[in-house]
């Protein structure tokens, strides 16, 4: 195997497998850094305890191939690029003769071409991958500091006659990428095409003879400073379309009309100038198979205008994600939010509200669906996120502040004030740099909330604001409160039920009794525990519940504030 781009340091290359996420029983078989390649190739793996052949020798070839393939998967775009000119997984072939034989005969493994490869390695992979399909990501142009870019002639030499392309992603200056595309005339079973182009210029027109004019492309992803115009035959079978183009509304609608089988469409940060007059919304384009519409933008204008001009089937999922740094208010967008209200009401309103973070950075989400519906499965989702925003409402530039100070009015514009049933406050108020009274202001905007999940420190923040705001009756129908486990990740919220009240309890009465016995240590896996009990006028049994233990974090003042919150914020103890 050639030493492409400077040769191999065999032991070090092999040792890098320890950071590739392989199971421990496989990592244990890797040669030590002071081993030689001859020593490794001479003997198969053996058990450290008995000297007998290691059980890995009995692993079926198909299983090893799947493990090797997982090691060869390209890095996600948001990960640091590899600085090596050889495949990152190549150390697999140095472990033992058995692994080497499996890898060399696993053609699909060699068909994964990543952008860090030198031209010499690129040729090796193309040869060893035959007859398997090829998934290639290449950067065309001059060499950069972090990533290798191949010259146009090198890419053309490899791809022009390839008839095994399954997916292709080309990144680079538009003139270089277009020069490569002009030579790809051979028929190939490619199903995914991604183009990321830079440099200003006119719209890019793909050649009619691209891939022999008959490739079964199902996924396209275009990113450019202008629109990319593809042949009609290429668009006809597309099911997934992602556009990062600065594309005019009329051009985008024209492309969508050519995609009768489209099921997923995502628009990424389009900043082209769209006007209502560009394409009047008179007769919407019928998109009978479009089940997912996602728009990432800096304004709701793009999502609203698309929604007016595309007719989606019932039950389709629509998502709007806004990136906002600092704003003076939502008034400039009020018209576009009003356009969204009919589709929100058709999905029974925004019943879920989620907030994490603080003034500098954070996320606000709200979505439709019943109590069991997660964000990704809702018919309508709205998200706004901010980063690097002003940390104080009194410190601002040009009268703009962090979006979190305007969440209350946003709830009004989207109808969450009327429909919100479940509220999740994941962030830690002690780190949010918000005045304690702000949290009461948010709760006051969501009087329909029945279930509340919150960070344990949020209770302390609410209690500290009690006297400041006069304890308004903010959540009159609240019936359940949950505390999140602080160790839980953002993507998987673990919660413990703290209190669940009968729906008929709405006021604090003289019979309120609370028993609290703090424990010495928290128990993250402990079951839900009730800490508040309110006798019912509808039953004959007023026996106290069993004494329970709760984490020590819930001191008496904290629990008292929580009980008042559960009673609807009326909050004043009665004699």
């Amino acid at each position: 195997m050639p030493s492409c781009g400077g040769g191999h340091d065999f032991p070090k290359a092999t040792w890098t497998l320890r950071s590739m996420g392989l199971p421990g029983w496989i990592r244990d078989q890797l040669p030590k850094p002071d081993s030689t390649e001859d020593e490794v190739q001479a003997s198969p793996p053996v058990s450290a305890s008995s000297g007998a052949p290691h059980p890995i020798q009995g692993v079926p070839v198909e299983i090893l191939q799947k493990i090797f393939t997982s090691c060869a998967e390209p890095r996600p775009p948001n990960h640091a690029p590899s600085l090596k000119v050889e495949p990152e997984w190549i150390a697999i072939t140095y472990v033992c003769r058995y692994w080497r034989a499996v890898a060399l005969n696993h053609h699909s493994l060699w068909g994964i071409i990543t952008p860090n490869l030198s031209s010499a390695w690129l040729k090796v992979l193309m040869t060893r991958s035959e007859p398997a399909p090829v998934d290639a990501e290449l950067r065309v142009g001059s060499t950069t500091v972090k990533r290798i870019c191949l010259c146009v002639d090198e890419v053309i030499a490899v791809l022009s006659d390839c008839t095994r392309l399954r997916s292709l992603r080309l990144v680079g200056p538009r003139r270089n990428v277009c020069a490569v595309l002009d030579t790809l005339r051979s028929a190939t079973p490619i199903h995914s095409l991604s183009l990321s182009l830079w440099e200003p210029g006119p719209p890019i027109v793909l050649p009619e003879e691209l891939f022999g004019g008959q490739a079964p492309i199902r996924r396209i992803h275009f990113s450019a400073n202008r629109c990319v115009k593809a042949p009609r035959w290429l668009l006809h079978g597309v099911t997934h379309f992602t556009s990062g183009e600065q594309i005019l509304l009329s051009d985008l609608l024209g492309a969508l009309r050519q995609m009768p089988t489209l099921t997923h469409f995502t628009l990424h940060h389009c900043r082209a100038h769209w006007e209502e007059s560009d394409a009047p919304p008179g007769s919407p384009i019928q998109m009978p198979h479009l089940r997912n519409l996602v728009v990432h933008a800096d304004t709701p204008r793009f999502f609203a205008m698309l929604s007016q001009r595309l007719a989606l089937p019932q039950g389709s999922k629509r998502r709007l994600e806004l990136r906002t740094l600092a704003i003076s208010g939502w008034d400039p967008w009020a018209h576009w939010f009003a356009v969204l209200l009919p589709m929100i009401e058709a999905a029974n309103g925004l019943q879920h509200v989620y907030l994490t973070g603080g003034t500098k950075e954070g996320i606000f989400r709200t979505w439709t669906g019943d109590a069991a519906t997660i964000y990704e499965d809702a018919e309508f989702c709205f998200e706004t996120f901010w980063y690097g925003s002003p940390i104080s409402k009194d410190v601002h530039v040009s009268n703009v502040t962090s979006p979190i100070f305007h969440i209350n009015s946003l709830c009004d514009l989207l109808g969450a004030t009327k429909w919100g049933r479940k509220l999740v406050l994941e962030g830690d108020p002690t780190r949010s740099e918000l005045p304690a009274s702000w949290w009461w202001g948010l709760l006051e905007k969501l009087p329909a909330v029945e279930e509340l999940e919150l960070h344990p420190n949020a209770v302390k923040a609410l209690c500290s604001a009690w006297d400041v705001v006069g304890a308004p009756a903010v959540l009159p129908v609240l019936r359940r409160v949950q505390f999140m486990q602080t160790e839980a990740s953002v993507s998987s919220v673990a919660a413990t039920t703290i209190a669940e009240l009968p729906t008929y309890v709405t006021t604090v009465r003289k019979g309120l009794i609370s028993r609290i016995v703090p424990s010495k240590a928290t128990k993250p896996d402990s079951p839900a525990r009730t800490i508040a009990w309110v006798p019912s006028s509808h039953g004959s049994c007023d026996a106290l519940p069993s004494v329970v233990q709760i984490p020590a974090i819930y001191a008496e003042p904290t629990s008292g504030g929580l009980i008042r919150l559960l009673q609807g914020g009326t909050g004043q103890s009665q004699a």
Side-chain angles (χ1 to χ4, degrees), residues 335-397:
H335 167 71
W336 303 115
F337 283 128
V339 172
L340 308 183
L341 289 179
M343 71 180 71
I344 293 174
E345 293 178 357
N348 296 322
L350 295 169
Q351 307 217 11
H352 298 257
V353 179
Y354 168 95
L355 177 66
T356 185
T359 56
K360 185 176 181 179
E361 59 183 286
I363 299 173
F364 172 80
R365 291 175 182 159
T366 181
W367 64 95
T368 61
D370 57 26
T373 303
I374 61 175
Y375 178 72
E376 292 78 8
D377 292 340
E379 288 189 26
F380 178 84
C381 310
F382 172 86
E383 174 182 301
T384 182
F385 62 99
W386 55 95
Y387 180 81
S389 301
I391 62 175
S392 172
K393 193 172 183 179
D394 298 325
V395 179
H396 52 80
V397 179

Side-chain angles (χ1 to χ4, degrees), residues 124-142:
V124 170
L125 266 68
M126 291 296 290
T127 300
R128 289 193 178 275
S129 63
E130 292 186 12
V134 173
D135 299 305
E137 178 181 349
L138 300 172
R139 285 173 170 77
V140 187
S142 58

